[in-house]
């Protein structure tokens, strides 16, 4: 496989330090590449243009530097995002000035909303032209100020080594997020003496990692007193690598747990105490447990509106504990009784030394198990039509639940979250906060580059797939074996569902029946394509796609008017669920 060959040529950090240890006068572009290599970057996604020509020239015949040329800047940044989510490392992308940089904005916002560590490198016009409306000039640091954790406009080539090292530190510490480095063309061309930077000293930046023990003691006391305790775990568990500590905490306390959309995989779905996902399309049991709990322990989640529903009616009986590395999130949406600021991994490590079984909650645990048995996710299957829920279940069965699954946004995203249970962290890659269509497929490319030996499945709708379908080219050229699933209902499914249920069947501008033949589209790019419209065809096509050593696209023609249930309408509390005909 091409990705394995590429990654095997990357030298170790020790080899690179030895190679670059001798001070040498080189260009800003060469400083950039060397600094990225010293940060452990093994793949950069990008698209060249005039303002980054010196940078791309430095890549020429550079055996140490692995760059993947995407077909659109949005594909590059979503791929870098998927790489970061699936690996735990910082994702990196490069684009030119002006339209190249502005094409990254949606991807930067996607990463910012979901706390994903990225270093985004853009070129800019010559320093002397900044502010003159020069050709392909855009104030990208100004444009992205609300959606980056930090940004740099590099004025002097001598600052580049420090800036790059700081950018990686900022992106991947504290509450993680995207950092932008804007490099004018003259800075990338200028030469100076290069010496690697290994230390970081950023005035005023000192995230709180270790919690206040008194606050952790208060949480442990609250657990001992609670009769209906519940844990709400979010993406912070995955990002901090705290899945083992969380499992130990739940095992010791025996507190039932629900995981948010971005928290899926942070706790094993096969555990009896796991209730599934809460919120707008969450499980009956998880939502009712939140509404009945007398203690709710939020671990690394931000009380997103899709989880809370109507805020004034959320968890009305619960004392709230909120553990988060970002103090700004605590108390922002839901009043907090016991705030604990710190890295989730560190907080749970401290809590596990004190944690004991929640002895007053036996009746609570019994009632939750009864609810789980009575109210699993349900749908009405069909022998004549292909149901999307069945397709996702079949994918789970044939991959043994071990695949990395990426999704776009919409109904298919919710069906994947509901019917593909995860037992490992960093196996679920999806756009949560921003809800970005076009994210699913290119993020799978990044996830595959980070994990060349794992099966990566990208589940998409027919709408979102067309937003970044051009990246099929790089899968074919580089033999990146992503398995692309398209649940084709010929409609903007989630919009149609809302128009049916909320807007009294007034369907407006949702028909996608004029979409391309996805099999022919895949074949046009040199990718194997398959189509299925019934269960027998679906199993045959999917199993053949899995056996195929390269990339493959499988189009599943599914029922047009299938809905995602349960559903909580906006303005309702999360126990006011529309259950659907199956329930």
């Amino acid at each position: 496989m091409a990705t394995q060959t590429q990654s095997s040529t990357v030298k170790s950090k020790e080899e690179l330090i030895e190679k670059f240890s001798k001070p040498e006068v080189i260009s800003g572009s060469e400083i950039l590449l060397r600094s990225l290599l010293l940060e452990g970057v093994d793949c950069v996604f990008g698209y060249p243009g005039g303002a980054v020509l010196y940078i791309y020239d430095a890549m020429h015949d550079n055996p140490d530097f692995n760059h993947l040329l995407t077909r659109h800047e949005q594909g590059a940044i979503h791929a870098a995002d998927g790489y970061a989510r699936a690996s735990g490392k910082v994702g990196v992308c490069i684009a030119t000035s002006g339209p190249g940089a502005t094409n990254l904005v949606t991807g930067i916002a996607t990463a910012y909303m979901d706390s994903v560590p990225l270093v985004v490198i853009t070129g800019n016009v010559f320093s002397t032209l900044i502010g003159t409306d020069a050709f392909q000039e855009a104030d990208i640091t100004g444009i992205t100020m609300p959606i980056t954790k930090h940004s740099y406009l590099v004025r002097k080539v001598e600052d580049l080594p420090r800036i790059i090292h700081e950018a990686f530190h900022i992106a991947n510490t504290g509450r993680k997020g995207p950092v932008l480095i804007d490099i004018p063309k003259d800075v990338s061309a200028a030469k100076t003496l290069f010496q690697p930077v290994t230390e970081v000293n950023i005035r005023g930046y000192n995230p709180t990692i270790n919690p206040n023990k008194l606050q952790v003691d208060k949480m442990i006391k609250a657990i001992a007193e609670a009769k209906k305790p519940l844990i709400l775990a979010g993406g912070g568990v995955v990002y901090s690598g705290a899945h083992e500590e969380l499992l130990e905490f739940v095992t010791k306390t025996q507190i039932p747990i629900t995981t948010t959309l971005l928290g899926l995989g942070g706790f094993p779905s096969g555990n009896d105490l796991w209730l599934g996902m809460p919120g707008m399309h969450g499980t009956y049991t998880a939502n009712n447990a939140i509404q009945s709990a007398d203690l709710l322990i939020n671990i690394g989640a931000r009380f997103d509106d899709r989880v809370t529903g109507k805020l004034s009616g959320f968890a009305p009986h619960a004392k709230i504990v909120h553990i988060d590395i970002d103090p700004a999130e605590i108390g922002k949406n839901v009043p907090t009784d016991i705030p604990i600021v710190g890295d989730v991994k560190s907080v749970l490590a401290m809590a596990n030394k004190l944690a004991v079984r929640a002895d007053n909650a036996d009746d609570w645990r019994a009632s939750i198990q009864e609810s789980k048995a009575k109210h699993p996710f349900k749908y009405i299957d069909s022998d004549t039509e292909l149901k999307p829920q069945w397709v996702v279940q079949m994918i789970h069965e044939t991959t043994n639940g071990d695949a990395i699954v990426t999704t776009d946004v919409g109904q298919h995203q919710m069906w994947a979250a509901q019917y593909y249970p995860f037992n490992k962290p960093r196996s679920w890659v999806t756009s949560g906060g921003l809800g970005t269509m076009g994210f699913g497929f290119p993020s799978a490319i990044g996830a595959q580059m980070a994990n060349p030996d794992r099966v990566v499945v990208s589940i998409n709708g027919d709408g979102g797939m067309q937003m970044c379908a051009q990246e099929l080219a790089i899968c074919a050229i580089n033999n990146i074996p992503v398995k692309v699933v398209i649940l084709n209902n010929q409609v903007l499914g989630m919009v149609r569902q809302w128009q049916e249920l909320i807007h009294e069947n007034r369907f407006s501008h949702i028909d996608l029946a004029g979409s391309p033949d996805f099999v022919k589209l895949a074949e046009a790019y040199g990718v194997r394509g398959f189509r299925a419209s019934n269960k027998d065809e679906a199993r045959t096509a999917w199993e053949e796609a899995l056996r195929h050593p390269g990339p493959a696209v499988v189009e599943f023609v599914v029922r047009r008017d299938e809905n995602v249930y349960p559903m909580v309408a906006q303005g309702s509390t999360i126990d006011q669920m529309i259950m659907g005909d199956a329930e």
Side-chain angles (χ1 to χ4, degrees):
M1 182 174 118
T3 52
Q4 289 174 313
T5 304
Q6 290 165 348
S7 61
S8 66
T9 64
V10 176
K11 289 183 171 63
S12 69
K13 189 169 183 178
E14 291 73 21
E15 290 176 306
L16 291 168
I17 290 173
E18 183 178 353
K19 181 176 180 178
F20 301 146
S21 60
K22 181 182 176 182
E24 187 178 355
V25 175
I26 56 176
S27 70
S29 297
E30 292 169 308
I31 288 172
L32 172 64
L33 301 194
R34 289 190 183 187
S35 297
L36 292 177
L37 290 168
L38 288 168
E39 295 295 336
V41 175
D42 54 25
C43 184
V44 172
F45 306 87
Y47 201 95
V52 289
L53 280 181
Y54 290 116
I55 295 171
Y56 276 82
D57 186 59
M59 294 181 199
H60 186 69
D61 289 336
N62 186 330
D64 301 320
F65 198 81
N66 183 20
H67 176 277
L68 194 68
L69 173 64
T70 59
R71 293 302 182 264
H72 193 286
E73 292 90 354
Q74 187 171 353
I77 193 162
H78 289 332
D81 186 315
Y83 176 95
R85 296 188 201 226
S87 68
K89 299 174 66 176
V90 178
V92 181
C93 65
I94 299 177
T96 193
S97 64
T102 57
N103 278 342
L104 298 175
V105 170
T106 296
I108 295 171
T110 300
Y112 183 77
M113 287 284 280
D114 289 350
S115 304
V116 178
L118 297 183
V119 168
V120 180
I121 298 160
T122 54
N124 209 329
V125 299
F126 284 91
S127 298
T128 53
L129 294 177
I130 290 176
T132 68
D133 293 330
F135 177 67
Q136 290 194 332
E137 181 194 357
D139 178 11
I140 194 62
T141 55
I143 290 168
T144 60
M145 187 174 291
I147 54 170
T148 50
K149 189 175 177 184
H150 193 62
S151 61
Y152 295 91
L153 173 58
V154 186
R155 293 290 189 175
K156 297 188 296 183
V157 67
E158 293 83 4
D159 293 337
L160 257 179
R162 172 186 59 81
I163 286 173
I164 294 163
H165 192 53
E166 285 182 1
F168 276 81
H169 177 73
I170 293 170
N172 210 26
T173 55
R175 180 175 180 173
K176 302 179 181 186
V179 177
L180 184 134
I181 304 174
D182 195 32
I183 306 175
K185 194 170 183 179
D186 52 311
V187 174
S188 64
K191 292 188 176 183
T192 191
L193 184 69
F194 172 64
Q195 290 181 299
V197 173
T198 57
E199 295 182 357
V200 174
N201 183 17
I202 305 171
R203 185 178 178 183
Y205 181 71
N206 187 27
T208 299
I209 304 300
N210 297 313
N212 184 322
K213 185 177 180 299
L214 293 176
Q215 296 301 98
V216 176
D217 289 341
K218 289 180 184 178
M219 177 179 70
I220 298 300
K221 183 174 183 291
I223 291 171
E225 296 171 350
K227 293 182 179 179
K228 296 181 178 180
L230 182 68
I231 292 169
L232 170 68
V237 171
V238 177
Y239 300 152
S240 67
H243 52 284
E244 293 180 352
E245 287 80 3
L246 178 61
L247 179 58
E248 180 183 350
F249 184 70
V250 173
T251 302
K252 285 183 173 180
T253 61
Q254 289 294 292
I255 297 176
I257 177 171
T258 175
T259 48
T260 68
L261 180 71
L262 294 183
L264 295 177
F267 188 82
S269 62
N271 190 294
D272 285 343
L273 289 168
W274 186 65
L275 312 185
M277 180 178 70
M280 181 172 282
H281 295 293
T283 67
Y284 177 94
T285 302
N287 282 353
N288 279 286
I290 289 173
Q291 296 302 87
S292 300
D294 62 4
L295 176 66
L296 182 61
I297 304 173
N298 179 330
I299 305 177
R302 59 184 181 86
F303 286 125
D304 176 78
D305 61 291
R306 289 292 173 104
V307 168
T308 64
K310 184 180 179 180
L311 267 175
S312 61
F314 177 74
H317 311 294
K319 175 182 285 189
I320 304 293
V321 178
H322 193 169
I323 302 168
D324 205 295
I325 199 164
D326 184 358
E329 287 296 338
I330 296 178
K332 185 178 80 173
N333 294 328
V334 174
T336 301
D337 299 287
I338 304 176
I340 303 177
V341 178
D343 180 77
V344 167
K345 190 178 181 76
S346 298
V347 175
L348 289 178
M350 182 181 290
N352 283 333
K353 296 176 182 177
L354 308 167
V356 294
R357 188 176 187 274
D359 283 332
N360 293 329
D362 287 342
D363 291 344
W364 171 243
R365 283 184 283 265
S367 68
I368 279 178
Q369 292 305 321
E370 182 180 344
S371 177
K372 276 183 66 176
K374 189 179 294 185
H375 299 286
F377 284 126
K378 296 177 183 177
Y379 66 97
I380 299 173
D381 202 1
S382 172
D383 291 327
T384 58
E385 294 179 296
L386 201 54
K387 290 296 188 82
Q389 302 95 324
W390 180 91
V391 173
V392 175
Q393 287 179 315
M394 185 263 298
I395 293 170
H396 181 269
E397 173 194 332
T398 52
T399 57
N400 298 313
D402 290 331
I404 294 174
V405 176
T406 79
T407 77
D408 219 87
V409 170
Q411 286 182 312
H412 68 276
Q413 177 191 34
M414 293 298 107
W415 285 317
Q418 291 177 340
Y419 291 97
Y420 196 108
F422 296 93
N423 286 313
K424 298 176 184 176
R426 301 197 180 279
S427 297
W428 170 246
V429 175
T430 196
S431 171
L434 199 66
T436 302
M437 289 184 70
F439 174 84
F441 171 43
S443 69
I445 295 170
Q448 187 77 81
M449 295 297 287
N451 298 271
D453 298 323
R454 288 188 67 180
V455 174
V456 177
V457 179
S458 181
I459 300 178
N460 305 270
D462 47 317
M465 183 63 197
Q466 294 180 74
M467 293 190 174
C468 283
Q470 71 280 346
E471 305 307 334
L472 285 167
I474 65 171
C475 286
I477 292 166
N478 297 282
N479 195 33
I480 302 170
V482 172
K483 311 305 177 187
V484 181
V485 170
I486 301 171
L487 298 180
N488 188 357
N489 57 6
Q490 300 188 52
V491 70
L492 285 171
M494 191 61 84
V495 181
R496 188 211 58 78
Q497 177 168 334
W498 278 56
Q499 289 178 347
E500 174 192 335
L501 299 177
I502 310 299
H503 296 276
E504 300 176 342
N505 291 306
R506 293 192 297 275
F507 299 119
S508 177
H509 299 283
I510 55 170
D511 189 359
L512 297 180
S515 297
D517 181 323
F518 288 105
V519 174
K520 289 182 179 178
L521 182 66
E523 291 172 346
Y525 280 107
V527 173
R528 289 289 303 276
F530 305 88
R531 179 181 294 109
S533 56
N534 61 52
K535 288 181 177 179
D536 288 340
E537 291 176 352
R539 282 194 178 276
T540 300
W542 178 245
E543 288 171 0
E544 188 171 348
L546 281 179
R547 286 193 299 269
H548 178 60
V553 172
V554 186
E555 177 188 4
F556 296 96
V557 181
V558 298
R559 187 169 180 259
R560 179 185 176 93
D561 56 354
E562 190 73 12
N563 287 335
V564 180
Y565 293 115
M567 175 181 171
V568 177
Q570 281 190 329
S572 301
T573 56
I574 57 172
D575 55 349
Q576 296 174 319
M577 287 169 276
I578 304 169
M579 299 304 295
D581 294 338
E583 184 72 19

